[in-house]
Amino acid sequence: MKHIRNFCIIAHIDHGKSTLADRLIELTSTLSSREMDNQVLDDMDLEKEKGITIKSHAIQMVHEYKGEKYRLNLIDTPGHVDFSYEVSRSIASCEGAILVVDATQGIQAQTISNLYQAIDHNLEIIPVLNKIDMDSARPEVVADEVCDLIGCDPDDIFKVSARTGEGVAPLLDAIVERIPAPQGDPDAPLQALIFDSVFNSFRGVIAYFKVKNGSIRKGDKVKFFSTGQEYEADEVGVLKLKMQPTDEISCGDVGYIISGIKSATEVKVGDTITHVDNPCSEAIAGFEEVKPMVFAGMYPVDAAKFEELRSVLEKFQLNDASFVYEPESSLALGSGFRCGFLGLLHLEIVQERLFREYNMDVITTVPNVSYKVYTTQGEEMEVHNPSGMPAPTLIDHIEEPYIKAQIISKSDYFGAIMKLCLERRGTLTAQHFITAERVELSYDMPLSEIVFGFYDTLKTISKGYASFDYHITGYRPAKLVRLDILLNGDPADALSTLIHEDNAYDFGRRMCVKLKDLIPRQQFDIPIQAAIGAKIIARETVKQVRKDVTAKCYGGDITRKRKLLEKQKEGKKRMRQIGTVQVPQSAFMAVLKLD
């Protein structure tokens, strides 16, 4: 065990985690030059296209130090706030963390958030300044920021360039010297923590785990703690770029297990694996439960594909443990699922991955957060969907989730950011100047206000400099109303939203204007109305497509024309009574992009 080191790389988005991982892999000769690629651990096309890490990736490297060989298990983590659950799982299975800070940008919000998580788990932190080869790098200034943040000595900070490889070799030695070896008892009953899993259509579910106590061999009879299901370990091995089978995974090491599990529901991330003959007494504690923040309905485009969508979501959940779902039905869209996400980027990525990896096209409804509704009878309900709201007469009061938002930016954009947060019902709780040019603002804000376009607007007004991180603080009473959109008099329940009373008129009016452009014209007028209960607050009309029925009248009495027009009018009236309005998918997505 003393020759094993488990560590992760944590940083804000785009500070060079994946590039630094590339250099570490190159220096330890884990992959041949033919196998090497830029951001080699980001194996999804989507990750390379968007330039972000979506999944945390584990890889084992061997490093020789003072004549002895050490096994280094590296887990590269995402930097975006929407994938913070991946980071928490990596931190739970490591003893140390490399904190990467961009020397051109300094400390950002997600850096601080991930750092606090690592400190809570008592991880050994190795600070690293990246991108020192850039002309705009400010290594001395940023090093002072890092020293203030974690209380280290300036000499302890490694200055590297992950792109050129400068300064990376001493970092490998520091990993061996500074990060403690894993603690555990090799002779105790097996205790292994599952931190990730994937579904393989040929081999079933493959679970990735870290052994805390004991060891696991090929052919062992094992069971999963939370489900109590028993299996035989058909194959165990370590994670290089591809999976490498071995006979045994010893105490403190990271590996994978294949045991022919066909059902995706039998494996839960955070579960404990133990032996059937000599089980451990309790599961490994300290693994946090995921709390989805944003909810949206997902429906198959073809209603007959409901069961297919169910099995696809089951397999997808294995690979993305922060995604949750439950069945629901809608008047307009039929049967589907209510899905929970960590944020809007997460929702967008899930939708894209379902299409690319499983060829599943889905319709997504307007996202919203979950509210607590207290009825006049004294009952408490949790509402994720506007259609689940009780009648206004039965509601005593509603509570909405609040967040503590941390925004770090240049002080030049201080005023514009404060104005944005005030518009979104934010309350300033603290401001702290990290340096003369950089300020950290803390706000109390309703979660529902940051779901739509807040992050995009923040990036725009700060010219890309502001960084943003948040965590939930609890629920507070709010004046919320349910805003319905009526098309031709019928409510389109997929477009209903719960919104603050003060913003309802403005939002309803903008929705009507937007839908007027998106809904195709029919043979009859389509009124688009925004309503709160029975009160209509805004209206637009999609004008009908008219045929010129009087074209054949080239003269004669006016009554001939009037007779034809009256006949047409009657037909339109009948058509409107039985006509249905098809809402294109672009209309659902447009609601997210209301500027």
Side-chain angles (χ1 to χ4, degrees):
M1 273 175 70
K2 68 177 193 290
H3 289 99
I4 297 174
R5 298 288 182 271
N6 299 319
F7 68 100
C8 57
I9 302 180
I10 55 175
H12 190 79
I13 186 168
D14 203 27
H15 278 204
K17 295 174 298 299
S18 301
T19 313
L20 180 61
D22 286 357
R23 297 295 83 78
L24 294 174
I25 290 166
E26 269 179 8
L27 281 171
T28 52
S29 307
T30 306
L31 300 177
S32 67
S33 55
R34 196 163 56 91
E35 291 173 300
M36 270 313 285
D37 191 7
N38 283 341
Q39 280 90 36
V40 68
L41 292 180
D42 292 352
D43 53 6
M44 262 185 253
D45 293 342
L46 205 54
E47 290 180 314
K48 290 202 162 80
E49 276 169 34
K50 290 187 178 283
I52 56 174
T53 305
I54 294 167
K55 288 283 302 162
S56 51
H57 301 276
I59 190 163
Q60 189 176 92
M61 306 178 289
V62 176
H63 176 56
E64 196 166 312
Y65 176 69
K66 291 185 178 172
E68 295 190 35
K69 288 193 173 175
Y70 288 84
R71 281 207 303 283
L72 311 181
N73 291 311
L74 155 70
I75 303 178
D76 176 31
T77 61
H80 198 283
V81 61
D82 277 18
F83 306 109
S84 53
Y85 188 61
E86 293 280 332
V87 181
S88 77
R89 290 171 16 210
S90 306
I91 286 172
S93 49
C94 290
E95 283 80 40
I98 294 178
L99 177 75
V100 179
V101 179
D102 187 332
T104 62
Q105 295 185 23
I107 286 168
Q108 308 267 287
Q110 196 63 30
T111 316
I112 296 175
S113 166
N114 289 343
L115 173 70
Y116 287 160
Q117 252 185 316
I119 290 172
D120 287 347
H121 279 79
N122 296 324
L123 265 60
E124 179 66 36
I125 310 290
I126 299 178
V128 171
L129 281 194
N130 190 18
K131 306 191 186 178
I132 57 162
D133 60 318
M134 303 273 281
D135 295 337
S136 55
R138 301 169 294 130
E140 282 74 27
V141 178
V142 179
D144 288 344
E145 288 180 25
V146 175
C147 292
D148 288 347
L149 184 65
I150 60 175
C152 67
D153 201 81
D155 300 338
D156 294 344
I157 300 172
F158 287 84
K159 296 183 173 67
V160 307
S161 164
R163 191 177 52 160
T164 62
E166 180 190 339
V168 180
L171 181 59
L172 270 171
D173 294 343
I175 290 166
V176 174
E177 285 170 11
R178 291 208 212 164
I179 293 176
Q183 302 293 313
D185 181 358
D187 303 321
L190 172 67
Q191 248 187 335
L193 173 77
I194 299 176
F195 65 85
D196 202 0
S197 54
V198 290
F199 188 83
N200 183 308
S201 46
F202 300 107
R203 312 202 63 181
V205 178
I206 303 169
Y208 300 156
F209 61 86
K210 181 201 170 184
V211 181
K212 191 176 176 190
N213 291 314
S215 61
I216 182 168
R217 288 178 163 279
K218 183 180 174 181
D220 281 354
K221 283 265 194 299
V222 294
K223 73 170 182 180
F224 290 5
F225 218 87
S226 68
T227 58
Q229 299 272 23
E230 298 181 4
Y231 308 99
E232 186 172 316
D234 298 337
E235 180 180 311
V236 295
V238 295
L239 298 154
K240 298 281 184 165
L241 187 61
K242 296 187 169 64
M243 295 183 293
Q244 247 180 31
T246 54
D247 290 334
E248 182 182 23
I249 304 290
S250 55
C251 186
D253 223 339
V254 174
Y256 69 90
I257 179 170
I258 299 175
S259 45
I261 304 168
K262 291 289 179 280
S263 167
T265 51
E266 291 173 31
V267 177
K268 289 184 174 59
V269 168
D271 199 359
T272 303
I273 307 174
T274 187
H275 281 131
V276 173
D277 308 334
N278 182 17
C280 57
S281 54
E282 58 180 9
I284 298 171
F287 203 84
E288 63 178 68
E289 276 295 307
V290 59
K291 297 188 288 286
M293 297 304 158
V294 175
F295 293 86
M298 277 194 172
Y299 296 85
V301 176
D302 176 3
K305 289 192 171 178
F306 174 70
E307 283 304 325
E308 191 184 325
L309 179 61
R310 185 198 293 273
S311 73
V312 163
L313 292 182
E314 259 182 29
K315 290 171 188 168
F316 182 80
Q317 194 180 30
L318 269 179
N319 198 239
D320 186 349
S322 55
F323 169 74
V324 294
Y325 66 94
E326 58 184 34
E328 72 159 5
S329 62
S330 146
L331 293 172
L333 300 168
S335 296
F337 294 92
R338 191 85 195 148
C339 304
F341 309 91
L342 294 181
L344 272 191
L345 178 70
H346 189 207
L347 160 66
E348 197 184 311
I349 295 289
V350 168
Q351 205 175 345
E352 187 68 28
R353 283 184 67 190
L354 288 176
F355 179 66
R356 289 191 188 197
E357 295 171 27
Y358 302 95
N359 203 18
M360 194 80 220
D361 215 353
V362 290
I363 291 174
T364 313
T365 63
V366 180
N368 56 289
V369 300
S370 67
Y371 298 95
K372 285 184 178 171
V373 178
Y374 294 86
T375 62
T376 47
Q377 276 83 34
E379 294 171 2
E380 182 189 323
M381 299 166 64
E382 197 159 281
V383 176
H384 304 313
N385 190 344
S387 60
M389 280 281 274
T393 50
L394 300 174
I395 297 172
D396 180 46
H397 69 281
I398 303 173
E399 290 186 352
E400 64 176 339
Y402 261 70
I403 59 163
K404 181 173 190 263
Q406 273 178 308
I407 300 168
I408 295 179
S409 172
K410 279 190 166 181
S411 39
D412 307 1
Y413 311 117
F414 188 71
I417 290 170
M418 288 184 83
K419 181 170 176 278
L420 171 70
C421 293
L422 283 171
E423 284 170 1
R424 300 298 182 108
R425 299 192 282 136
T427 314
L428 182 68
T429 55
Q431 67 182 57
H432 164 60
F433 279 86
I434 300 170
T435 65
E437 293 178 359
R438 288 163 61 75
V439 64
E440 179 187 348
L441 301 172
S442 296
Y443 272 91
D444 275 346
M445 292 174 81
L447 178 64
S448 56
E449 292 290 342
I450 67 158
V451 167
F452 294 113
F454 176 80
Y455 193 60
D456 293 347
T457 314
L458 178 69
K459 281 288 185 194
T460 307
I461 61 175
S462 65
K463 298 185 180 160
Y465 274 105
S467 63
F468 173 67
D469 181 50
Y470 67 89
H471 57 265
I472 296 292
T473 53
Y475 283 79
R476 297 187 196 174
K479 291 193 295 179
L480 296 169
V481 291
R482 175 175 155 187
L483 180 73
D484 288 317
I485 299 293
L486 310 178
L487 301 175
N488 199 16
D490 297 326
D493 61 346
L495 291 169
S496 299
T497 49
L498 288 170
I499 191 162
H500 196 266
E501 203 173 318
D502 299 347
N503 304 341
Y505 168 72
D506 184 46
F507 185 75
R509 191 176 53 76
R510 286 179 10 227
M511 281 269 278
C512 291
V513 171
K514 194 86 172 178
L515 288 169
K516 182 185 174 185
D517 297 338
L518 291 165
I519 290 175
R521 290 170 69 185
Q522 308 266 19
Q523 294 282 329
F524 54 93
D525 276 354
I526 305 171
I528 302 169
Q529 296 162 310
I532 298 171
K535 181 180 168 192
I536 306 293
I537 58 168
R539 168 180 171 138
E540 293 286 334
T541 308
V542 178
K543 283 294 179 194
Q544 61 193 5
V545 182
R546 291 180 71 109
K547 181 183 173 190
D548 188 1
V549 289
T550 59
K552 60 186 179 183
C553 296
Y554 46 86
D557 193 37
I558 185 68
T559 52
R560 289 181 62 199
K561 287 189 178 180
R562 195 168 290 147
K563 182 178 156 191
L564 289 168
L565 288 168
E566 286 297 326
K567 195 175 170 187
Q568 185 190 35
K569 196 169 158 189
E570 283 299 313
K572 296 275 186 198
K573 202 170 171 184
R574 263 201 317 280
M575 201 186 287
R576 185 175 160 185
Q577 285 168 354
I578 58 164
T580 56
V581 183
Q582 296 295 323
V583 185
Q585 167 68 4
S586 57
F588 296 113
M589 295 314 290
V591 180
L592 312 182
K593 298 185 172 68
L594 281 178
D595 345 324

